[in-house]
Amino acid sequence: FMMVKNYAIRDLRAYPQSIHFGENESQVKQNVTLNFTVINESSDEHGGNLPSSPIVEIKHGNQVVWRSSVSISPGQSRKMSVTIPDRVLRPGDNVFTVEVNPDRTILEFKPGVSDPYADNKATTSIRGVAYEKCQECMTIRNRNDWQEKWEWYEQRGVVRSSTYRRCFREETRTGSY
C-alpha cells in the first residue's frame, strides 16, 4: 500500500471561447465562466476518509481574480464552474490559469513522478478577435449567375395541429399567473 498525495486540475474550458470586437473597440468588459475539474488523487490516510480543502486559485494574466478552498475527499473529483464578472478582454489571447494548491501549503508526493505539482495548473485562453472590415463584402457584383430558383410562400397566423384533453387558461400555459 503506497501513499499518494496529489491534486490536479483537468478539463479546463473558458466561456465565451472567443469574442469579436466592434469597429472602434480595443477592449470589452465581459463575464467569463471557467469550467474545470479538481481531482484529489490521494489515498486515504490511516483508512480515514477525511476530505481535504486545498486552495484553488484563478488568475487572469498575472492577476488573481478568484481564490477559495475546495473541499474534496481522497480519490474523488469535483466539477466546478466559476463565473468572474466584468473581465476586461483585449484582442489576442486573454489567458486564464486555474491552479490547485498554488502556495504548496499541502505537501504532494506521487511515487515515480519527479514533479507532483506539474498537474496542479491548467491554462486556457479566450481569443479576442480584432475588428476587420470584410473585404469580400465590399466587392461590388454586377451580375447574377445563381442557378437556384426559389418559390416563397407566406402564411399568417399560428399553425397548430394537436388535440387537447382539456382547455387551459392562457396564464396556465405560459406559466405566469
Side-chain angles (χ1 to χ4, degrees), residues 16-31:
Q17 291 175 322
S18 65
I19 186 161
H20 291 261
F21 291 90
E23 192 164 358
N24 296 314
E25 288 180 317
S26 60
Q27 62 182 43
V28 169
K29 262 194 177 182
Q30 167 96 34
N31 290 357

Side-chain angles (χ1 to χ4, degrees), residues 53-73:
S53 299
I55 296 288
V56 174
E57 189 175 81
I58 297 174
K59 285 183 177 177
H60 177 190
N62 291 321
Q63 180 193 8
V64 176
V65 293
W66 187 88
R67 185 177 169 101
S68 182
S69 66
V70 176
S71 180
I72 182 165
S73 298

